[in-house]
Amino acid sequence: MTNGVLYSPELADRICDEIATDTRSLEEICADQADFPHHRAIYQWLRKHPEFERKYRVARIQQIEPLVGSMLYRIRNAKTREQIMAAIAESKIIMWLGGHLVPRLYGERLVLSDPEGGPVKFILERMGEKKDAEL
């Protein structure tokens, strides 16, 4: 399953660099690189090598950027109805991934403000007392 490929920190770094800059799946990346192990071996490496696991997770987060770029490219270049529908479907998946992997950049946000964009004003009342508070 490893194609005889042994773990090394250098190879782990190359794998993570490839993931971080490519839009393809781990399976596709491993199949295209003769010196990479089978993709299933990488899952074993993740369990055995905590430093690789950390770098792999970072690489997956970084992969959102090329995925977003490819999504925008496909949307801009879609000509037929089928291409447009495929681009929309892919965009939804990438938006979901981005929102979960990098919520600070791509997640949905709840913004509290008054209609003019100022802070929300709350009125707190307790047993006859009335106090204004700003958020």
Side-chain angles (χ1 to χ4, degrees):
M1 185 176 329
T2 64
N3 303 353
V5 178
L6 298 177
Y7 176 84
S8 75
E10 296 79 20
L11 181 57
D13 286 346
R14 283 191 50 229
I15 291 167
C16 289
D17 288 344
E18 194 72 28
I19 290 167
T21 58
D22 203 318
T23 60
R24 296 174 301 153
S25 70
L26 178 63
E27 184 175 357
E28 292 170 305
I29 291 170
C30 289
D32 285 352
Q33 300 290 334
D35 60 335
F36 282 14
H38 190 275
H39 69 279
R40 289 183 183 160
I42 290 181
Y43 296 120
Q44 294 171 356
W45 290 5
L46 291 169
R47 288 190 298 274
K48 292 180 183 176
H49 305 281
E51 182 62 19
F52 176 55
E53 194 269 341
R54 186 190 66 74
K55 289 179 181 180
Y56 178 87
R57 300 291 169 220
V58 170
R60 280 293 181 202
I61 290 169
Q62 291 171 333
Q63 190 182 36
I64 289 301
E65 294 302 319
L67 283 169
V68 169
S70 71
M71 173 186 72
L72 293 172
Y73 178 82
R74 285 197 60 197
I75 290 170
R76 288 183 185 127
N77 291 294
K79 304 285 188 251
T80 67
R81 177 173 167 69
E82 291 78 21
Q83 290 172 337
I84 292 167
M85 297 307 289
I88 290 170
E90 184 177 333
S91 297
K92 289 179 180 181
I93 294 166
I94 292 169
M95 288 175 3
W96 182 89
L97 276 172
H100 285 79
L101 290 175
V102 192
R104 196 166 142 214
L105 290 176
Y106 298 108
E108 294 181 13
R109 294 185 181 119
L110 174 64
V111 178
L112 298 176
S113 65
D114 70 6
E116 288 79 41
V120 175
K121 190 171 186 177
F122 291 92
I123 299 174
L124 304 174
E125 292 186 35
R126 181 174 34 177
M127 306 274 302
E129 294 180 24
K130 189 174 185 179
K131 295 185 179 186
D132 290 346
E134 276 192 10
L135 182 65

